[in-house]
Amino acid sequence: KTKANTKSTQAKSKALAKNSKKHKKDKRSRSRRRGSGLGYSYEPVAISHTPELIRSVMEHGHELLGHRYRSSGIAPWPLDCSGFVKYIFSLEGIKIPHSSAALSVYTSKLSDPKPGDLVFFRGSNRGSSRIGHVGMVVSNEAGDIKMIHSSSSKGIVIESITGSAYYSSRYMGAGRLPQLASH
């Protein structure tokens, strides 16, 4: 590594450590981490064969596993589904829209999502044609897509789309952020 890369990595590590301490101090953002239920987990997934930028974004997401949906004090905005995605990308200097519908328009559509890509879902009304939820892909093994997302009922979790009747019936597609096109 060059000295510049080393300094940049050290600065990111210090900032992440500082944010982690802030998370622990904020009583309003207590973790929901407890035993996993069927189809979702509060445990990080193994990250391999992933470009450094995407791996770093995924690690930011892993640090927030178990935090409550819309908890305050962690990010400059609430951690609803799109706020969570916006926050973990912002820690790498990537600015993106703050709504799931705007994110779906902002991304380039794709059929085989990879880690770092976004996945979009109908909201609570399964018959709706409007985007109402977003998550980030952490793995896609033989079509079994796992995403990290902020769920209103479980907080920030990793969940299999195919393993969830709720999300598989509402899946509307995937997209790649323009900032990640080269990755």
Side-chain angles (χ1 to χ4, degrees):
K1 285 186 176 181
T2 65
K3 286 185 178 182
N5 282 347
T6 304
K7 285 183 180 179
S8 173
T9 303
Q10 289 172 345
K12 286 179 186 175
S13 295
K14 285 181 184 177
L16 200 52
K18 183 179 177 183
N19 280 342
S20 292
K21 287 178 186 173
K22 183 178 178 182
H23 300 326
K24 290 175 186 170
K25 288 180 183 176
D26 187 351
K27 291 180 183 176
R28 293 171 297 179
S29 64
R30 276 187 224 138
S31 177
R32 296 177 79 132
R33 198 175 294 217
R34 57 185 184 272
S36 296
L38 198 57
Y40 68 92
S41 172
Y42 292 109
E43 298 303 317
V45 297
I47 303 171
S48 60
H49 309 295
T50 305
E52 186 176 337
L53 173 64
I54 296 167
R55 185 173 37 248
S56 185
V57 171
M58 289 172 59
E59 287 170 355
H60 296 314
H62 286 163
E63 292 218 354
L64 296 172
L65 283 168
H67 281 277
R68 294 181 184 277
Y69 176 87
R70 288 194 164 272
S71 61
S72 59
I74 296 169
W77 49 79
L79 292 179
D80 57 5
C81 64
S82 58
F84 166 69
V85 169
K86 179 179 173 79
Y87 180 63
I88 61 176
F89 279 99
S90 76
L91 293 173
E92 291 300 318
I94 299 172
K95 295 181 192 278
I96 59 175
H98 186 123
S99 82
S100 50
L103 281 166
S104 73
V105 173
Y106 185 70
T107 59
S108 12
K109 306 301 172 243
L110 47 98
S111 58
D112 187 28
K114 307 281 184 239
D117 291 332
L118 303 182
V119 284
F120 302 99
F121 305 87
R122 290 176 182 85
S124 57
N125 180 354
R126 187 181 2 203
S128 173
S129 62
R130 299 178 77 190
I131 302 287
H133 188 72
V134 63
M136 184 184 75
V137 175
V138 292
S139 73
N140 182 353
E141 296 174 16
D144 180 21
I145 302 169
K146 290 190 175 144
M147 66 173 168
I148 186 168
H149 69 117
S150 186
S151 160
S152 60
S153 62
K154 297 173 260 192
I156 298 171
V157 296
I158 292 177
E159 192 158 4
S160 168
I161 294 171
T162 53
S164 166
Y166 182 87
Y167 288 108
S168 62
S169 69
R170 287 169 171 77
Y171 183 71
M172 293 187 75
R176 182 164 293 148
L177 294 168
Q179 297 91 329
L180 302 181
S182 63
H183 297 284

